[in-house]
Structures are given as structure tokens and as C-alpha cells.
Amino acid sequence: MKALPAEALALWRARSLCATLTRREVAARYAGTALGWVWAYAQPLLTMAAYYLVFDVVFAMRVGEGASTRAVGTYLIAGMLPWMAFSDAVARAMNSLLESANVLQKNPLPPMLFPARAVLASSVVFAPLLLLLVLAYAPLHHFAPALLLLPVLVGVQIVLCLLWGGLLAILAAALRDVVQLVGFALSLGIFLSPVLFPAHLFPEAWRWALSLNPMPAWVNSYQALLLHGAWPSVDNAIAMVLWLSAGAALLQVLLSRSREQLIDWV
């Protein structure tokens, strides 16, 4: 059996263990705090509230012509929350094998169990918040039928994080420099996506650089759904398929070639 389908089957068989590890992962992040898991939701919610208060209420800033909406804070939130979800999930998944080295070395567990745990723990926090944006943006999308696609969009983003997070976890185990390089890429990636400004404001000569980032297709789709109640474009759907296919193909290769050495690397 090919490595990726075999790993997916192993994860399915260990789904109860994965759910338990995910719950522990979320609980461990906020252990010892008075509010516990509430902090998981409070942080992104307070960040979004600050964007709205500062940009839309206090300064009443406006985006230039051609943007999905003129209000800066409203525009930022629609793209920033999906980016935060992606960045958090991928970063945690990338470090998951290194952080679980002792467990992996002592137990015959599927290696991808740990990136999956990290991505799912992140998704437990961000997926409900992404869906709650439907209520916050109701005056803009008016509950158009296209909103039915939002849960699918969130689910496909989780799959993207699983594939690329697992891939990066193996690379990080083989070469620790990957952690530093990807951390820098994630901090830079927000500027190579239509999160802070519309894509048409990006210099045309450098617009090709946006294709180096997987998230523009998702961000554009979230903005279309939340700001207009419009269906995502075919171009964005094609870009999603390409990024998912590339992640699956590369993860398949890495799983096949690293199966014997992975435990030694971590």
C-alpha cells in the first residue's frame, strides 16, 4: 500500500487516540490559568475586536477603490482570521514530531498522528471562529446561499494544513533549519496574500509572487463569501486543488523515503 493512504488508514484506526490527544493538547496549552480553554478563543477574538475598533471606529479608515469592502478593519478581519488559523496550525504541526520524540521512540504509533493532533487542536479553536464570522458579517452577505460553502472551505483548509504540516514535520525532523526557515516564511507570507491589502494593489511586475503562497485562494474565497455572499471563483478553486495535490504528492514521497529513518531523526 502506498505510504500516504496507509498513513491515513492508520490515523483513522487511531481516531479515538487522536481525539484524546487533541483534547489534551488544547488543555495543556492553558493549564494553570484561571480561565483555561477560554483563553484559546479570547486571544483571536480580542485581536479581531481591536482591528475593528481601531481601524473602523476610531480612525474610520477606508481601503482604496476596487476592494471587497471600503472599511479597513472589516476587510482585515475577513482575511486575517483564516491566515491566523493556517499559520498556527502549520507551525504547530511542523514542530509536532520533534516535540513528541520520546513518545515516538517508545511506542509504535503512526508518525502523522502528531501533526494531525496539532492541526486538529488548532482547528478546535479557529474553525468555530471562522464560522461565527457568518453572523458578524450578516449585514454584508445577507445570508446568501453561497454561505453554505463556508464549512466546506474551512474543512478543505484543515486538509491543507494536515498535508503541508505533516510534510514540514518530516522535513523539520530531518533538518532543524526548516523550523527557522518556515517560521520566517510564515511571518513574511501575510504580505504575499490579500490579507492586508487587495491583490490589485500589489505591484503588477511582482504579482506572480502571490502564487508562492497557498493562502490567497482561501483568503479570496472567504472574502467573497463573507463580504459579498458570492461564490468563490473558479480560479481560486483550481488553485486550491493544485496546492492540495502538491501537498499530497510531496507528503507521499517523504513518507515513503523516510519511513525507516524518521524515528532516528527525531
Side-chain angles (χ1 to χ4, degrees):
M1 189 181 295
K2 290 185 177 181
L4 185 56
E7 199 68 28
L9 180 59
L11 281 176
W12 174 251
R13 289 172 176 168
R15 60 189 181 277
S16 296
L17 175 60
C18 188
T20 300
L21 291 176
T22 299
R23 287 194 296 270
R24 291 181 179 177
E25 171 87 358
V26 176
R29 293 181 192 178
Y30 306 96
T33 61
L35 295 180
W37 59 267
V38 174
W39 283 117
Y41 299 95
Q43 271 184 312
L45 282 174
L46 290 173
T47 301
M48 298 302 105
Y51 285 149
Y52 177 76
L53 180 63
V54 171
F55 294 110
D56 286 1
V57 177
V58 177
F59 293 110
M61 295 178 67
R62 294 292 178 259
V63 187
E65 296 293 336
S68 304
T69 180
R70 297 299 303 279
V72 170
T74 302
Y75 179 84
L76 281 175
I77 292 170
M80 183 65 76
L81 191 58
W83 175 262
M84 289 170 62
F86 170 76
S87 181
D88 183 78
V90 169
R92 292 183 184 278
M94 176 179 61
N95 288 288
S96 61
L97 290 179
L98 296 175
E99 293 171 352
S100 306
N102 291 335
V103 178
L104 264 176
Q105 290 166 356
K106 296 176 182 177
N107 300 276
L109 296 172
M112 289 301 100
L113 176 65
F114 299 97
R117 175 198 65 182
V119 171
L120 291 176
S122 181
S123 301
V124 165
V125 175
F126 284 98
L129 296 179
L130 287 169
L131 296 177
L132 278 175
L133 286 182
V134 172
L135 298 178
Y137 282 77
L140 296 176
H141 57 65
H142 304 292
F143 294 100
L147 266 295
L148 294 173
L149 193 61
L150 188 63
V152 177
L153 189 61
V154 174
V156 174
Q157 181 175 332
I158 292 172
V159 175
L160 176 79
C161 295
L162 284 169
L163 292 172
W164 284 90
L167 187 157
L168 292 171
I170 296 175
L171 291 176
L175 184 64
R176 303 300 194 268
D177 301 74
V178 170
V179 175
Q180 308 303 323
L181 289 172
V182 174
F184 174 75
L186 288 174
S187 64
L188 182 65
I190 193 171
F191 299 103
L192 294 178
S193 63
V195 172
L196 302 178
F197 46 81
H200 73 272
L201 294 181
F202 206 80
E204 187 171 355
W206 290 92
R207 206 164 292 174
W208 59 268
L210 296 175
S211 62
L212 301 177
N213 187 345
M215 280 306 288
W218 271 267
V219 171
N220 286 330
S221 299
Y222 282 113
Q223 290 170 343
L225 289 170
L226 294 171
L227 301 177
H228 300 290
W231 297 96
S233 70
V234 174
D235 288 346
N236 286 320
I238 292 173
M240 290 180 194
V241 171
L242 291 175
W243 276 103
L244 291 169
S245 300
L250 291 172
L251 183 56
Q252 163 67 32
V253 172
L254 286 180
L255 284 171
S256 300
R257 297 190 177 185
S258 67
R259 186 167 297 277
E260 302 299 328
Q261 299 91 355
L262 186 56
I263 302 300
D264 295 329
W265 288 345
V266 297

